[in-house]
Amino acid sequence: MDNINKKEFYESATRKILSKIDNMALAPDDRRQAIYFTKLFREAFKFDEIKQYTFITKYNKIWDLGYDSAGFCRAASITFAIVMGLKDWQLMCIDESEWSVHESHHYLKHIPSGEFFDITYDQFAIDGITVPYDFGHKAIFGLTPNDYPIKFARALDIDIIDVLKGKQKGK
């Protein structure tokens, strides 16, 4: 797929993700925040600097996986759940052995509505792969100081540890 088609696909996927928010029957303020963070994250995935800051470590030098949302599933899902409020969002995971892609994938379940919310589903859809959300299970956050979610959030000027401690508003 050429760059123009990837860009069009990405923008179409972003619109689809945003429309998913309407199926969750969120309170008006929560809906506005979900839209804001979805747009912020999706825009951030496009920047090489954010990819590099998020993914490059002493042990990993790979930061570009060929498609803008690729690799961000865990970082974006955890950050989104924290800034939106953990009581309404469950981190989910499909293990690599449970589907044909042979890599684990993280996404969210909106607890009140039961809807799955996958801010990076398109990293697989671009290749025609549908994520089998029903195979997923609850996942733990397991954050460490230089973990991808913390680095991704920090690149967006969000301190998720402070949000968790109630020192910074996520909303």
Side-chain angles (χ1 to χ4, degrees):
M1 184 175 275
D2 62 27
N3 284 340
I4 293 172
N5 287 340
K6 278 185 181 181
K7 182 179 177 185
E8 289 172 6
F9 187 84
Y10 188 84
E11 296 306 322
S12 173
T14 299
R15 288 189 299 275
K16 185 174 180 180
I17 293 164
L18 288 167
S19 72
K20 184 92 170 150
I21 292 169
D22 291 331
N23 297 334
M24 296 180 194
L26 297 170
D29 285 345
D30 288 342
R31 182 180 177 279
R32 278 191 288 280
Q33 291 303 311
I35 289 169
Y36 168 77
F37 284 114
T38 299
K39 287 179 177 180
L40 176 67
F41 291 9
R42 296 288 297 178
E43 189 62 27
F45 298 159
K46 298 177 188 178
F47 288 92
D48 289 347
E49 296 83 2
I50 290 177
K51 292 176 190 178
Q52 292 167 0
Y53 182 79
T54 301
F55 298 120
I56 292 178
T57 67
K58 182 166 72 170
Y59 306 103
N60 179 44
K61 303 299 181 213
I62 299 171
W63 57 271
D64 186 355
L65 300 177
Y67 183 74
D68 288 334
S69 66
F72 280 104
C73 63
R74 183 170 170 271
S77 293
I78 288 174
T79 303
F80 189 92
I82 290 171
V83 297
M84 288 299 298
L86 292 174
K87 70 178 178 57
D88 288 339
W89 300 91
Q90 173 63 53
L91 181 66
M92 304 293 291
C93 182
I94 301 172
D95 291 325
E96 57 191 44
S97 63
E98 296 173 320
W99 66 317
S100 61
V101 174
H102 302 296
E103 61 184 74
S104 62
H105 179 60
H106 290 82
Y107 56 97
L108 295 168
K109 183 174 185 176
H110 181 244
I111 297 166
S113 69
E115 293 282 333
F116 295 117
F117 185 70
D118 187 351
I119 201 163
T120 65
Y121 87 93
D122 54 316
Q123 67 181 306
F124 303 109
I126 196 163
D127 293 324
I129 298 169
T130 301
V131 179
Y133 298 109
D134 290 329
F135 290 169
H137 57 85
K138 292 180 181 178
I140 59 169
F141 283 62
L143 294 172
T144 58
N146 284 312
D147 201 359
Y148 296 148
I150 291 174
K151 291 174 71 178
F152 173 68
R154 192 179 302 139
L156 301 177
D157 200 28
I158 300 168
D159 187 329
I160 59 176
I161 301 303
D162 278 353
V163 173
L164 287 169
K165 291 178 182 177
K167 294 179 180 178
Q168 177 180 342
K169 287 219 179 249
K171 297 183 178 185

